[in-house]
DNA sequence: TTGTAGGCGTTATCAA
DNA sequence: TTGATAACGCCTACAA
């Protein structure tokens, strides 16, 4: 009828609650015989711990480090930061403190510096966006050695089996883009894939998106009918950026779609505005303010949302569930690839992103 | 530094913890003077209750009634049911019991019967899908009189100010459909709006969706270019249903889109299959298995997901937050209008719908 | 009108 | 290797 408590198990096993607790947490100092007896009873009665009581009773304080890009350099990071802060606030009651370490997402050196700081802070758990593959590996090794669990988000790196990965499926998002383009123009269209960034960091991501798009056409036996042009554009020199675009669109007047694999779709929209181009439809990523502006004007058709806020939020929560509540957590957690357009935007830009999903 | 506790407030106010507790819960038996002093201190120290401790300390058991459609009659209700059960399982630890009362969604009489049963069970809170407007009103009055809070989902009825409404914005979902159609065919297309059901129950919903679609075209100054045909179709007589469709499509060969305002899009897809019609694109609602089948085949282009699982889940959670944790809860909670297509479907059909949003 | 004591299920400390 | 006991923060009788 009622919930099974530690005490119930203790009575049945003819031991004290303390002993059961030691078994539950594998703290040792329990004879093998008693341990097995207790474990069996736990199984039989299928005991489920009361997380409230556990949270209340535990005195341990947890310190987490969150290693993310600095919104100062790229507004994209505002959302992960908010999500982390929201989760941090909720977890404060359980004695969790989260410290943010924010690096320049265009500077591997900055990443290393902040990762070192984070390591030095001796956290009980780490949430990070491992943007720089080569640079992050030594840290993975160090954390593994020190048995500090880490959760990855934003960029997937499977090799060093993190506690968990939260994030987007880049490849699949490319497929979504493919569908949107195909749906928008069943007749053979012509597509520009634009990888736009300030640095060519983190290109694995972008390549996966491109592959997803290309394979959409292959899988649907449409590849021979479609024309796909690819451009890698850098924003550091804006004049050059415009020049490159000029060249592309002048020599490819047939282009009908532009798929921007980064959060810079608004740069294309802005360019089109200046050049009075209105027939090319744009599909991009991320609900950053500049993109939303153009989405609302209609100059961007769709944005694929990777729920960066949710990534930060659930990233911290994975650490909390694992360390504080000692729950089993899933090793990988893909967030939905939301297709966002002007008409359903409102439901994606506030808290609803945290509350509405399972 | 540490969290503010009731005791801290008590000390500062020179009263006992019991008095502070009485003020916090407005249980009376506190002199006006003391009450104000305590309230001020609570404000100043910005006290935040510890929900764990609160849940642990309270002995009260809560009984909730959930009044929903029976999946036996319409598979749509499988998801709300799962969501409710999931929330119920999580809330069990706080002494919450949820009883399901499932009515035949096509039979107002059945609704009344189940609503009466639910009322008789004397619940502390009620979650319901008030599908039958006229029939539900007396129950609203009764519950109001007995001060039983109720949360609405699926169908919005504002008049009797429920504790909260969880659900979809039908009108806005019509706008989303409008965008998808417009995007899929910038040239003036021809659209069939199909209201398909077994009974013409709950038509307010469907009308709102239709209005949303029509207004999309109006607002974008496209209405004169678009042709919209409307059909109300009944499934009870399948032969007649087919006949009606035959008539529509034979006399309107120009049709390019079909917007199904119910979860019956698959019926149109099936019909097209039989008639070898493949050029008309279908947009519908709800991720029920039959729809998913056709979504995966490509015969349905998009499904608008109203996250019925989430509706059930968050509905129960609103009651829990309000009654168990005495949190402030929002009076209305719109769930995102997810645009689901074959390529992003996977992220919408499992638990991710509950975990990924704020 | 106010204060006190005991309990919720778990953890942690200390003594046995 | 074990058991008893005092927290954790809040709620609720009951006593004052």
């Amino acid at each position: 009828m009622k919930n099974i408590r530690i005490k119930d198990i203790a009575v049945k096993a003819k031991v004290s609650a303390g002993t059961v607790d030691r078994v539950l947490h594998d703290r040792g100092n329990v004879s093998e015989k008693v341990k097995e007896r207790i474990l069996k009873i736990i199984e039989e009665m299928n005991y489920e711990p009361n997380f409230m009581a556990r949270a209340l009773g535990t005195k341990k304080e947890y310190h987490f480090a969150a290693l993310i890009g600095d919104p100062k350099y790229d507004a994209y990071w505002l959302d992960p930061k908010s999500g982390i802060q929201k989760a941090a606030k909720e977890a404060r009651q359980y004695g969790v403190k989260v410290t943010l370490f924010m690096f320049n997402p265009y500077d591997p050196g900055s990443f290393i510096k902040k990762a070192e700081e984070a390591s030095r802070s001796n956290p009980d758990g780490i949430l990070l966006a491992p943007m720089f593959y080569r640079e992050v590996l030594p840290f993975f090794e160090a954390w593994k050695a020190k048995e500090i669990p880490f959760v990855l988000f934003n960029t997937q790196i499977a090799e060093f089996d993190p506690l968990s990965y939260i994030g987007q499926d880049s490849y699949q998002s490319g497929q979504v883009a493919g569908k949107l383009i195909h749906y928008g123009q069943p007749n053979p269209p012509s597509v520009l894939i634009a990888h736009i960034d300030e640095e060519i960091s983190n290109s694995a991501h972008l390549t996966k998106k491109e592959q997803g798009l290309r394979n959409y056409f292959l899988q649907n036996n449409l590849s021979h009918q479609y024309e796909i042009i690819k451009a890698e554009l850098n924003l550091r020199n804006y004049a050059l950026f415009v020049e490159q675009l000029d060249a592309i669109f002048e020599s490819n007047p047939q282009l009908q779609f532009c798929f921007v694999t980064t959060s810079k779709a608004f740069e294309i929209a802005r360019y089109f505005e200046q050049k009075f181009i209105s027939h090319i439809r744009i599909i991009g990523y991320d609900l950053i303010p500049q993109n939303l502006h153009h989405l609302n004007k209609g100059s961007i058709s769709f944005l694929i949302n990777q729920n960066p806020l949710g990534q930060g939020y659930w990233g911290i929560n994975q650490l909390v569930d694992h360390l504080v509540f000692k729950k089993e957590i899933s090793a990988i957690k893909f967030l939905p690839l939301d297709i966002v357009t002007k008409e359903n935007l409102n439901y994606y830009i506030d808290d609803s992103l945290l509350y509405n999903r399972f």
Side-chain angles (χ1 to χ4, degrees), chain A residues 231-259:
Chain A
E232 290 185 2
L233 303 165
N234 194 296
L235 272 168
R236 260 180 308 181
N237 182 340
Y238 191 74
L240 180 62
F241 173 72
V242 169
E243 239 173 70
Q244 290 174 312
L245 288 180
D246 284 344
I248 291 168
F249 291 110
E250 270 164 33
S251 52
N252 296 284
Q254 77 285 9
L255 280 169
Q256 295 167 300
F257 290 89
C258 181
F259 174 43

Side-chain angles (χ1 to χ4, degrees), chain A residues 50-152:
Chain A
N50 182 322
F51 294 120
M52 321 283 108
R54 180 169 287 177
L56 242 200
T58 192
K59 294 161 209 297
K60 183 157 171 42
E61 305 238 312
Y62 293 92
H63 169 53
F64 296 157
L67 189 57
I68 64 172
D70 192 330
K72 197 167 64 191
Y73 300 101
D74 185 343
Y76 170 81
W77 295 99
L78 280 171
D79 276 349
K81 191 180 166 193
S82 303
I84 288 168
Q85 286 172 329
K86 175 158 182 128
K89 194 182 160 199
E90 290 179 13
R92 227 171 48 91
Q93 292 204 332
Y94 319 133
V96 171
K97 294 251 177 313
V98 178
T99 311
L100 283 167
F101 298 89
M102 299 188 289
F103 55 86
N104 178 342
Y106 301 111
D107 176 9
S110 159
F111 176 82
I112 292 177
K113 204 176 126 222
K114 291 297 175 181
E116 275 168 355
E117 279 181 36
S119 294
R120 266 200 307 277
S121 75
N122 236 319
D124 300 294
I126 301 172
L127 171 68
L128 78 156
M131 288 192 67
F132 303 99
Y133 182 77
R134 207 176 321 137
E135 286 77 2
V136 82
L137 292 187
F139 289 101
F140 284 173
E141 295 198 36
W143 297 333
K144 268 261 172 292
K146 287 166 86 177
E147 292 190 314
I148 301 173
F150 52 92
V151 170
L152 269 33

Side-chain angles (χ1 to χ4, degrees), chain A residues 176-208:
Chain A
V176 169
K179 168 60 153 274
L180 289 172
I181 288 166
H182 182 203
Y183 172 82
Q185 180 53 281
N187 300 320
S190 181
V191 182
L192 171 68
I193 298 180
H195 301 303
I196 305 175
D197 217 333
E198 294 176 20
E199 301 283 335
I200 326 278
S201 63
N202 198 17
S203 59
H205 244 193
L206 310 187
T207 308
K208 278 188 194 163

